[in-house]
Amino acid sequence: MQTQDYQMLDRQHHLHPFTDFKSLSEEGTRIITHADGVYIHDSQGNRILDGMAGLWCVNLGYGRQELIDAATAQMQELPYYNNFFKTTHPPAVKLAAKLSELAPEHINHVFFTGSGSEANDTVLRMVRRYWAIKGKPDKQWIISRENGYHGSTVAGMSLGGMTPMHDQGGPCVPGITHISQPYWFGEGRDISQEAFGKQCAQALEEQILALGEDKVAAFIAEPVQGAGGAIIPPDSYWPAVKDVLAKYDILLIADEVICGFGRLGEWFGSNHYGLKPDLMPIAKGLSSGYLPIGAVLVGDRVADTLIEDGGEFFHGFTYSGHPVCAAVALKNLELLENERVVENVRDELGPYLAKRWQELAEHPLVGEARSLGLIGALELVANKATGERFDKSLAAGNVCRDLCFDNGLVMRSVGDTMVISPPLIITRNEIDELISKARLALDKTAEKLAITHPM
Ligand code: PMP
């Protein structure tokens, strides 16, 4: 089939995720046919540097034969069996044990799911169940953050703080409330980073007091917000949040779906910030995206209660701990470990990206460049001196994203924030290529916007 054939069939039959169906159908899609290392290839022969590692997930890069072999071998041995009704299988057992070894000390149990959203559905049910067993069924409220992302199932989107998602599809799951996010460039520039981080942590305490400590079950947050725009909190934020949580009897859920498995240069984002979460939803980098798998890493406090006093937990999925997905995840973890990928992000690639990424802060279109490990963002501004944003109708971020794509780089736009999250096996040369392509796209964006919005 040719590109046009795929595009026609796609238009006729395929409803894409997070997509305006009508406008996509008018514009047509790009057909990605194969990939290797950090590059994807489309049906028209373009080779594109994948600055997003798929959807923040292809941590080991594309085309790893070891992962393909692990899937093949497991397919042949046992393509499917479940973990319900007192059965299990070697890949699920080994993966649970390995994750317990990699996770912080106090985490020794794993509940498998098929995705990050399912992991967050699980978390919601687990924390409420935990407090019910503890004889505190009124501890129901979960405090989350505006513009956080926790998935697209009903519970996932309710936990998340994306209002356009809340506005579609009827009422959210009750008992979830959202406080301000530690997004200094977007919402806090009138005060120092330090003061703003503390102010956001204070919002948590105020919300706990407003709801009543005995009504609050948990606080959920991504260590670094991903889908919200690679929002790296001010240094003062997490220590202050930790202080608040220590004061009240409230569980911490660190959503590690993006931050986990090396993105911030540690196995988990929680390690980077010294957090001790009770629950950690994970997915994406767990299998480097080669097969769908997620999980909740469950700390001893919750696990022991569920095990000792809980009775049956009426929850689980057909594909919880799917043997082929688990076998691939296990091999993925082995490769990340043996090749010291995580340490390399922390010691080499992260600092190198930070240095090169900061060079883009000089660009007239860029109000802020920030990065941590291998996640980064650029804030596009209409006026560099004042930090004034572009008029929303110009969709500057989307303009830049499209120019990136045309120019051989995948960079994502979240409003006017440009985001990168490349595979963790990217080389220094490939980082150089990413930077020069990003710079070119910024130049072209400036040129294009200058016509409608002279700077
Ligand atoms: N949590 C976070 C932090 C995420 O970034 C995502 C996905 N982008 C999810 C949960 C949901 O994961 P999934 O798409 O696998 O359901």
Side-chain angles (χ1 to χ4, degrees):
M1 281 206 286
Q2 302 290 311
T3 302
Q4 295 86 332
D5 303 322
Y6 282 117
Q7 287 174 331
M8 192 183 69
L9 286 177
D10 192 65
R11 187 172 291 128
Q12 286 172 345
H13 302 295
H14 186 183
L15 299 174
H16 292 233
F18 280 93
T19 292
D20 176 338
F21 304 133
K22 185 154 179 260
S23 72
L24 182 73
S25 143
E26 281 153 14
E27 288 164 26
T29 40
R30 188 186 292 266
I31 316 293
I32 306 303
T33 51
H34 58 288
D36 55 80
V38 299
Y39 295 97
I40 54 173
H41 300 255
D42 71 17
S43 59
Q44 291 174 310
N46 297 304
R47 179 173 181 257
I48 304 160
L49 200 165
D50 184 4
M52 281 304 298
L55 275 178
W56 332 77
C57 54
V58 189
N59 288 11
L60 271 183
Y62 298 94
R64 289 302 300 250
Q65 191 59 43
E66 299 92 327
L67 299 183
I68 300 163
D69 292 344
T72 309
Q74 188 56 45
M75 281 271 185
Q76 284 161 343
E77 190 75 18
L78 180 71
Y80 177 76
Y81 203 71
N82 63 69
N83 294 283
F84 289 44
F85 317 129
K86 299 188 193 168
T87 62
T88 188
H89 43 68
V93 176
K94 287 192 214 162
L95 182 59
K98 185 70 197 172
L99 285 167
S100 301
E101 180 197 317
L102 292 172
E105 283 260 313
H106 68 288
I107 294 183
N108 292 292
H109 288 87
V110 182
F111 191 104
F112 288 114
T113 68
S115 67
S117 299
E118 288 178 8
N120 280 315
D121 277 54
T122 302
V123 152
L124 179 79
R125 301 202 51 200
M126 223 176 232
V127 294
R128 289 184 173 167
R129 176 90 194 111
Y130 168 79
W131 287 116
I133 297 168
K134 284 285 185 196
K136 296 185 176 174
D138 289 344
K139 275 175 94 69
Q140 287 265 325
W141 278 96
I142 297 181
I143 301 176
S144 180
R145 302 182 303 182
E146 290 158 7
N147 199 35
Y149 189 81
H150 300 295
S152 194
T153 52
V154 175
M157 73 93 181
S158 304
L159 287 167
M162 305 271 172
T163 40
M165 292 176 80
H166 295 168
D167 293 344
Q168 286 179 357
C172 295
V173 173
I176 300 169
T177 178
H178 302 84
I179 58 170
S180 51
Q181 54 174 335
Y183 180 21
W184 179 76
F185 189 85
E187 298 177 1
R189 270 184 288 162
D190 47 338
I191 56 176
S192 70
Q193 293 235 22
E194 153 106 14
F196 183 66
K198 287 189 180 153
Q199 182 179 300
C200 292
Q202 202 184 330
L204 173 62
E205 180 156 25
E206 282 161 13
Q207 187 65 278
I208 292 169
L209 295 174
L211 294 166
E213 181 191 350
D214 50 351
K215 298 267 175 15
V216 180
F219 173 58
I220 183 169
E222 303 153 80
V224 166
Q225 279 157 269
I231 295 164
I232 302 164
D235 290 343
S236 58
Y237 179 72
W238 276 116
V241 167
K242 274 198 319 192
D243 286 349
V244 171
L245 291 172
K247 222 164 134 184
Y248 304 96
D249 195 15
I250 288 162
L251 301 175
L252 171 61
I253 306 159
D255 186 334
E256 295 274 358
V257 169
I258 285 178
C259 295
F261 307 103
R263 178 63 49 203
L264 306 187
E266 298 283 347
W267 277 95
F268 299 98
S270 295
N271 301 355
H272 177 82
Y273 287 110
L275 306 178
K276 201 175 167 221
D278 296 288
L279 299 152
M280 300 205 303
I282 56 172
K284 295 191 190 276
L286 170 57
S287 66
S288 280
Y290 278 54
L291 283 175
I293 182 167
V296 181
L297 304 185
V298 186
D300 295 340
R301 175 179 176 183
V302 174
D304 291 349
T305 302
L306 294 176
I307 293 165
E308 293 303 323
D309 308 311
E312 181 167 351
F313 183 42
F314 299 110
H315 178 71
F317 306 100
T318 302
Y319 300 130
S320 286
H322 189 288
V324 183
C325 304
V328 168
L330 202 55
K331 180 56 76 176
N332 176 60
L333 297 180
E334 186 187 312
L335 294 171
L336 286 172
E337 205 169 25
N338 291 349
E339 296 173 8
R340 298 183 56 78
V341 172
V342 179
E343 293 81 354
N344 199 35
V345 171
R346 186 189 59 206
D347 301 334
E348 298 290 332
L349 295 173
Y352 186 68
L353 176 75
K355 177 171 150 278
R356 301 278 355 247
W357 196 243
Q358 273 313 315
E359 293 168 20
L360 297 176
E362 306 300 316
H363 195 279
L365 219 54
V366 175
E368 183 186 69
R370 57 176 180 267
S371 74
L372 176 61
L374 287 188
I375 193 168
L378 302 173
E379 299 284 0
L380 303 187
V381 289
N383 183 326
K384 199 169 171 80
T386 62
E388 185 205 337
R389 296 289 209 170
F390 284 103
D391 193 287
K392 273 202 169 60
S393 65
L394 292 172
N398 287 355
V399 169
C400 184
R401 178 201 61 198
D402 292 348
L403 287 165
C404 276
F405 231 128
D406 293 344
N407 181 40
L409 172 67
V410 180
M411 182 153 71
R412 175 164 166 181
S413 58
V414 178
D416 287 351
T417 309
M418 305 308 299
V419 174
I420 54 155
S421 164
L424 307 184
I425 48 77
I426 193 168
T427 62
R428 282 182 175 231
N429 283 345
E430 288 160 348
I431 289 177
D432 293 343
E433 181 186 336
L434 187 157
I435 300 290
S436 60
K437 286 185 163 164
R439 190 191 304 278
L440 184 60
L442 289 169
D443 289 346
K444 289 188 168 179
T445 305
E447 253 170 53
K448 194 161 177 179
L449 293 176
I451 298 165
T452 43
H453 189 106
M455 281 184 286

